[in-house]
Amino acid sequence: MLQLNPTIDVWTPLGDGEAMFIIDYGVNVNTVWVVRLPGGIIKHFYSDDVRIYDNPMNGNGWDIKPKTND
């Protein structure tokens, strides 16, 4: 388990959140991100479902294009 300090702003299937921890169970299991969502809700997401926002100060802007279920 790794505590992220500072935390990382992320996009999840449930909306924007703040990644606080990463849990690695080994090579046979996808990495799990522990994310705080608005309202203090804590959820776990596999790394396949999390997108890290780029820093707009580097000139690329917000580069996230979330997956859709269309």
Side-chain angles (χ1 to χ4, degrees):
M1 180 183 289
L2 173 68
Q3 179 179 357
L4 299 172
N5 186 15
T7 58
I8 300 174
D9 292 330
V10 296
W11 176 91
T12 73
L14 298 178
D16 291 332
E18 178 181 11
M20 300 168 41
F21 297 95
I22 298 175
I23 304 170
D24 187 0
Y25 292 105
V27 297
N28 296 324
V29 179
N30 205 340
T31 303
V32 174
W33 291 64
V34 179
V35 177
R36 180 191 183 276
L37 299 173
I41 298 168
I42 302 294
K43 293 288 184 182
H44 297 81
F45 298 95
Y46 285 124
S47 59
D48 295 0
D49 296 326
V50 174
R51 301 291 180 266
I52 298 174
Y53 285 107
D54 193 13
N55 183 346
M57 298 301 288
N58 70 12
N60 293 333
W62 299 107
D63 65 345
I64 297 292
K65 293 178 180 62
K67 296 187 298 187
T68 60
N69 294 331
D70 296 339

